[in-house]
Amino acid sequence: MTEKQWHECLGELVRDYIRSPELEFYFSIKMNKPRAAVMVKQQSLFVRHRRDCWAHVSANCPVLGVKQRILEHEYEEIIRDDFSDYGHLHLIIRQGKSVGLEPEEIIRAEPLPETLATLYAWSWMTSEMPWTESLAGMTITEWCNDDRLLGDLGGGQSTRMAKKWMEDMGFSWKEIPNLQAHSRADEKHSDMFLPFLAEYATGNKEAPAIQAARDSLAFNAMYRKGIALAQEKIPL
């Protein structure tokens, strides 16, 4: 497939994902601070785990251009970008303060069963599968925040959740820095690896890469459903 065809293919997968029953459930939960705190803690685990996963993709990939692009991506996530001088985990810690969480509570968060299963799945995908497949599986999760692709469906994950935090709890953008950043940063990250999929996920590598992207979205849906189930148990 060409780069444009990859964009269309992955875009349709993400649009199906955002309309899935799991995501409808995830966005249906009315927010209060204790419920929001569940999301913040699980998101901190997600964000830290992705650093390992991207490192696995890089280690398994012999293409210098891909490694360079991963380093560019990870510099913005871990070190500095337009949204933070301290990396994106710092954004989560700042957002956690808005719902009454201390930094230590976020750093020492325990994974929900669904979170743990998802993190194991992504670890296996990125360390054991061919790099073209793991690259597709990792990059497509960035697309879940892309408002350009999902604007007519209410926006990407971060934009939609930001609206919930503002509507349900009266927060401002300043109080939700992680959601604000990812409603914008992942538009850039969505596009970063398309040229490499078009060049290297070809022939008999194409279908497995598409399946890996589909599987990764299924993992993401399970992770979001687990958060919603835990939140639902907390009284309003």
Side-chain angles (χ1 to χ4, degrees):
M1 289 191 292
T2 65
E3 189 173 331
K4 180 181 178 181
Q5 288 171 324
W6 270 105
H7 187 279
E8 292 171 353
C9 175
L10 297 184
E12 283 306 307
L13 293 180
V14 173
R15 287 175 65 82
D16 287 343
Y17 159 83
I18 209 74
R19 292 181 293 221
S20 68
E22 293 89 347
L23 269 291
E24 288 184 7
F25 177 44
Y26 177 66
F27 289 116
S28 75
I29 302 297
K30 189 172 179 63
M31 285 293 119
N32 60 17
K33 287 187 177 182
R35 288 180 172 185
V38 172
M39 192 195 89
V40 171
K41 289 193 284 188
Q42 298 308 300
Q43 194 71 13
S44 77
L45 294 164
F46 172 93
V47 166
R48 284 177 283 169
H49 183 261
R50 288 180 66 79
R51 313 291 63 88
D52 294 339
C53 290
W54 276 115
H56 292 157
V57 179
S58 180
N60 288 332
C61 176
V63 180
L64 182 60
V66 175
K67 292 178 182 290
Q68 290 172 326
R69 194 62 57 85
I70 290 173
L71 284 173
E72 178 186 347
H73 177 280
E74 290 299 271
Y75 180 88
E76 293 181 351
E77 291 280 350
I78 302 174
I79 308 298
R80 178 181 299 159
D81 67 0
D82 292 340
F83 308 99
S84 174
D85 289 335
Y86 307 100
H88 286 193
L89 181 59
H90 184 251
L91 295 174
I92 291 176
I93 290 172
R94 285 170 53 201
Q95 188 161 312
K97 185 177 180 180
S98 298
V99 295
L101 289 173
E102 296 295 330
E104 193 71 11
E105 294 179 271
I106 296 171
I107 297 299
R108 295 187 177 276
E110 292 291 329
L112 296 167
E114 294 85 356
T115 299
L116 187 60
T118 301
L119 301 188
Y120 280 145
W122 272 319
S123 285
W124 185 88
M125 172 179 278
T126 55
S127 61
E128 301 299 325
M129 293 174 71
W131 73 267
T132 48
E133 296 172 37
S134 61
L135 179 66
M138 285 297 288
T139 191
I140 200 167
T141 58
E142 311 275 357
W143 292 46
C144 299
N145 286 322
D146 194 332
D147 287 346
R148 299 169 303 177
L149 175 66
L150 301 167
D152 64 318
L153 299 176
Q157 286 174 165
S158 291
T159 294
R160 289 182 67 179
M161 189 55 68
K163 291 175 182 176
K164 283 193 65 64
W165 281 47
M166 290 187 281
E167 291 169 3
D168 293 352
M169 297 185 290
F171 284 1
S172 65
W173 279 113
K174 184 178 180 180
E175 294 170 295
I176 49 175
N178 184 60
L179 291 173
Q180 182 184 31
H182 285 90
S183 69
R184 295 163 57 192
D186 285 342
E187 289 187 1
K188 175 184 176 181
H189 290 174
S190 294
D191 299 333
M192 291 181 79
F193 298 100
L194 281 174
F196 300 110
L197 291 175
E199 184 173 358
Y200 295 102
T202 58
N204 61 8
K205 297 178 182 179
E206 182 180 287
I210 294 170
Q211 185 60 50
R214 186 178 289 111
D215 290 344
S216 188
L217 291 175
F219 302 157
N220 205 6
M222 177 173 65
Y223 161 70
R224 307 284 164 180
K225 181 180 179 181
I227 292 173
L229 286 169
Q231 290 172 327
E232 193 176 42
K233 296 175 182 177
I234 298 172
L236 278 172

